[in-house]
Amino acid sequence: MKTLQASRLERLGADILAGAGCSRAEADRVAGYLVGANLAGHDSHGVARLPRYVQMLGSGVMVADQVVDVVVDTPVLAVVDGKFGFGQTVAEQAVAVGVGKCRDAGLAAVGVRNAGHLGRIADWAELAAREGFVSIHFVNAAGSVLVAPFGSVDRRFSTAPYCVGVPVAGREPVMLDFATSVVAEGKVFVASQGGKPVPEDALIGPDGTPGNDPHLLYGDYESTGRRDVRNGSGAIRSFGDHKGSGLALMCEVLGGALSGNGCTAPDRRFANGMLSIYIDPARLDPDDMFPAEVKRYLAFVKSARPAAEGQEILLPGEPEKRMREERLANGIPLSDETWSLLGECARSVGVNAG
Ligand code: NAD
């Protein structure tokens, strides 16, 4: 295990991306969001992604420094084509479009298509919450067929994340942000590198037996070798039985079909699609009930008695906030394998990881 300060990891990440062909501005931006995911405790969406990003850039699956095209533009609607640019670059531009329309009209719906990996979706809801806006995001990942629908062993969905961000006066926003699979694929990836194991029933084998062995997803691999989801015979399970499976379907239909990204299919180029809805509570709630009512209700929820002694009721977003504070103070731990793969990736673009 190696522990690094966020600032050092950000510099290293940015150097790698710049070495791979991104502009300095994009390299800094993408590395900042990746390290932000590590700080939030979502290592699956942190710097462990860099070797894949570099590989996607090299193979042309993702393209550096894209300026989006706004292909639909009405007072409350937009469709943004990311032209396979880095998700972090595309999403910042797409959120700016949505926030601008929401400021003017109180409401906006923005479809995002052909975005590279959008990373941690809460990043985009946090940008909206900073403006005081509620936002809802349905996301899919075309080309990334990994998740079995409820009752099945066959892959049909992507890990299709869903996210809702609600600004709260005087404190951090409530931030619900999760994959609609039992775990995000990145968590299986991190587990396959010696990181935290995924829950025992997170995956399912072709015979219908649940399990948590990453080989179910990746087939055979060397410890520092490439993980290829095409080699596995199993799937990740969708979360929450029929309800979670239904939400995953809606993420595919709204984030994939309605955005113009396309639903998940094996023969598609990797691209995140996203349907984002932005609402200005100040415009929807002229009586100004929302700010105080949300605060009152959150306190009521947190006052619920824990089922087990010594536990605490947490709100969505609280685990990430606490982890951020802890990791900013004490550094970000990386497994030996993640660190070695990062070093290898750095060397491949002429950077010394130190
Ligand atoms: P997860 O299972 O850790 O769930 C996270 C959510 O649950 C957060 O809102 C968190 O605040 C909340 N939470 C966690 N513990 C809690 C507790 N004890 N009490 C109350 N709330 C609690 O997340 P995940 O499904 O592994 O997803 C991780 C990340 O992966 C997300 O940021 C998601 O956006 C991202 N993701 C991205 C893609 C993509 O294609 N870009 C695909 C899948 C997932």
Side-chain angles (χ1 to χ4, degrees), residues 90-331:
V90 171
E92 275 197 357
Q93 297 175 67
V95 173
V97 170
V99 159
K101 290 187 186 299
C102 190
R103 217 177 272 132
D104 292 341
L107 176 73
V110 177
V112 181
R113 60 172 71 154
N114 302 330
H117 188 240
L118 287 166
R120 197 179 149 249
I121 306 306
D123 284 332
W124 320 126
E126 278 168 13
L127 292 182
R130 256 180 240 159
E131 303 290 327
F133 300 155
V134 169
S135 67
I136 307 161
H137 309 262
F138 299 88
V139 180
N140 92 323
S144 184
V145 196
L146 297 172
V147 180
F150 177 59
S152 171
V153 296
D154 285 333
R155 304 176 186 187
R156 289 294 181 270
F157 304 142
S158 61
T159 53
Y162 173 71
C163 175
V164 182
V166 175
V168 186
R171 51 154 283 173
E172 74 283 356
V174 181
M175 201 51 70
L176 180 68
D177 172 32
F178 54 72
T180 50
S181 43
V182 174
V183 288
E185 185 262 330
K187 295 213 157 112
V188 188
F189 180 67
V190 168
S192 81
Q193 294 185 346
K196 190 175 161 197
V198 297
E200 277 177 12
D201 61 350
L203 307 177
I204 189 161
D207 62 352
T209 311
N212 72 345
D213 181 349
H215 290 93
L216 283 171
L217 197 62
Y218 303 119
D220 289 336
Y221 52 81
E222 300 291 326
S223 68
T224 53
R226 190 157 173 255
R227 311 292 190 260
D228 189 338
V229 292
R230 288 170 302 187
N231 296 337
S233 57
I236 311 179
R237 294 178 58 235
S238 48
F239 89 113
D241 297 335
H242 56 293
K243 303 179 193 186
S245 186
L247 185 56
L249 180 78
M250 291 306 174
C251 286
E252 288 290 345
V253 169
L254 302 182
L258 194 53
S259 70
N261 192 54
C263 297
T264 296
D267 54 356
R268 293 214 149 121
R269 177 173 174 176
F270 178 89
N272 268 145
M274 175 160 77
L275 180 77
S276 301
I277 299 164
Y278 301 90
I279 302 167
D280 181 355
R283 302 279 286 272
L284 193 67
D285 167 39
D287 303 331
D288 204 25
M289 180 195 199
F290 185 74
E293 183 63 357
V294 170
K295 271 185 116 161
R296 185 199 66 74
Y297 188 63
L298 295 181
F300 178 57
V301 171
K302 278 192 76 71
S303 72
R305 282 178 306 139
E309 208 169 321
Q311 299 278 321
E312 181 191 351
I313 306 308
L314 295 174
L315 299 171
E318 280 189 316
E320 286 78 7
K321 176 177 182 283
R322 289 181 187 187
M323 186 63 91
R324 198 172 294 122
E325 287 163 358
E326 200 270 314
R327 288 187 167 183
L328 275 173
N330 301 320

